[in-house]
Amino acid sequence: MKEFFGFGGYTRPADGYLSWQHLVFVTSLMIIMVGLAVFFGLKSRGREYKDKNKVIIIASIAINVIELIKIVVVCIRGEDPLGWLYELPLFMCSMQLITIPLAAFSKGRIKEAALDNVFIFGVLGAVFGTYFAGNNYGTYPVLCIDNVASGITHAISGFTSLYIGIAGMASMKKKNVLLNYSIITCFSIVAYVVNRIIDYNYMFLIRGDGTPYDIIYNIVNGNAVLYPVLVVAMFILYITAFYYVYYFIKRSKKTDT
C-alpha cells in the first residue's frame, strides 16, 4: 500500500508510455466505461428525467471524491506545503469535475449547457487522458494512485458523456453553443493566468509535455502567443464540429424515417 500511494517515493520504475502495461490498463478501463454506459443508458431511456439524473448525481460524487482522495494523498506525501497548487482542477479533463455536478444538480439553461458540455468533452477527455497521457504514464508506474485515480476519473467522464447520449439527456440546443464556447474560453483563461503565476502547465497551454499538444507546439516552434491561442481555437473548432456532426446525424435519421 505504501508503494501504491507513493509514500517515500516510488521504488518501481515507470512501466513506460504506450507500454503493454499502460495499454492493457487503460483499455480495460475503456471497456468497463463503455459497457456500463450502454447498460445504464439503455436501462434509463424510457424512464422519467429525475430517474435518469440519479446516475449523473452518483457519477458527479464519485469523480470528485476520487479526485479529492488523490489530491490529499499527493499533498500528504509531498514536501512542498504549496503542492496543492499543482493539483487544481484546471486541465481540460478537469472541467468534468465541475460540469458533471452542474449537470447533476443545476436547473434550466445552465443544466442544459452542462449536460451538453459533458456530452461533447467527456469521451474526448477519457481517451486523451488515458491513451495519450504520456506525462503520467511516462513518469509513474501504471498501478499507482497517480495513474489509477486519474484513469478512473477520466473513465467516469467518458461514461457520463456516453450515458447522457444514450439516455437521451443531451439537449444540444443551438442557443447554448455560445455558452459552451464561453465555458471553455473562460476555463482556458483562468488556467493560463494560473500557469503564469505558479509556473505550471494547466490545460497544456504552455507546452505539450509528451501529449498530442506537442504537435501544435512544434508547428509554431513553441511560440508563447500562437501556441495557447491555437490550443483554445482547437477546442472551439471541436465544439463546432461536434454540433455539426450531431445535427447531420439527426437530420439523416429523420430522412431515413
Side-chain angles (χ1 to χ4, degrees), residues 42 45 119 162 164-170 172 244-257:
L42 292 176
R45 278 190 75 88
F119 181 48
L162 290 172
I164 288 170
I166 296 170
M169 296 183 73
M172 295 300 285
Y244 270 108
V245 171
Y246 176 84
Y247 279 105
F248 175 77
I249 294 173
K250 197 172 181 179
R251 283 195 298 268
S252 298
K253 286 184 178 179
K254 286 183 179 179
T255 303
D256 293 338
T257 304

Side-chain angles (χ1 to χ4, degrees), residues 21-253:
Q21 294 95 333
H22 169 205
L23 294 177
V24 167
F25 175 66
V26 299
T27 299
S28 300
L29 287 176
M30 294 300 102
I31 291 172
I32 295 171
M33 175 189 87
V34 173
L36 289 176
V38 171
F39 175 77
F40 285 107
L42 292 176
K43 189 176 180 181
S44 299
R45 278 190 75 88
R47 296 189 174 183
E48 294 183 7
Y49 196 88
K50 64 178 182 179
D51 293 326
K52 294 180 181 181
N53 199 53
K54 289 177 182 178
V55 175
I56 300 179
I57 291 174
I58 294 172
S60 71
I61 294 171
I63 193 172
N64 279 281
V65 167
I66 293 171
E67 184 67 15
L68 183 60
I69 290 172
K70 186 189 80 170
I71 291 173
V72 170
V73 170
V74 169
C75 290
I76 290 174
R77 77 185 183 199
E79 297 178 357
D80 185 358
L82 297 178
W84 59 272
L85 288 172
Y86 306 103
E87 299 295 332
L88 298 173
L90 289 174
F91 283 106
M92 186 267 285
C93 308
S94 304
M95 278 197 309
Q96 310 304 315
L97 296 168
I98 301 168
T99 53
I100 293 178
L102 281 175
F105 298 105
S106 63
K107 295 180 179 181
R109 191 174 175 186
I110 293 177
K111 186 179 185 72
E112 289 179 352
L115 284 166
D116 292 350
N117 189 276
V118 177
F119 181 48
I120 293 168
F121 282 103
V123 172
L124 179 71
V127 173
F128 269 67
T130 53
Y131 284 104
F132 298 108
N135 54 318
N136 279 350
Y137 292 95
T139 304
Y140 309 113
V142 169
L143 296 181
C144 70
I145 185 67
D146 296 85
N147 285 331
V148 170
S150 176
I152 293 174
T153 54
H154 282 88
I156 291 174
S157 296
F159 160 81
T160 311
S161 173
L162 290 172
Y163 171 79
I164 288 170
I166 296 170
M169 296 183 73
S171 68
M172 295 300 285
K173 293 178 180 176
K174 293 179 181 179
K175 68 179 183 179
N176 291 330
V177 175
L178 290 178
L179 193 51
N180 274 304
Y181 287 161
S182 300
I183 290 173
I184 191 65
T185 302
C186 292
F187 198 83
S188 299
I189 291 172
V190 172
Y192 186 80
V193 171
V194 173
N195 286 337
R196 290 303 180 187
I197 293 173
I198 67 173
D199 189 23
Y200 202 52
N201 192 27
Y202 285 120
M203 289 286 283
F204 300 102
L205 292 173
I206 306 300
R207 56 192 176 275
D209 277 353
T211 66
Y213 294 105
D214 273 332
I215 298 173
I216 301 174
Y217 187 84
N218 292 331
I219 289 174
V220 299
N221 293 317
N223 187 285
V225 176
L226 277 178
Y227 172 69
V229 168
L230 286 177
V231 170
V232 176
M234 186 175 64
F235 293 142
I236 300 295
L237 183 62
Y238 172 73
I239 293 173
T240 305
F242 196 100
Y243 269 93
Y244 270 108
V245 171
Y246 176 84
Y247 279 105
F248 175 77
I249 294 173
K250 197 172 181 179
R251 283 195 298 268
S252 298
K253 286 184 178 179

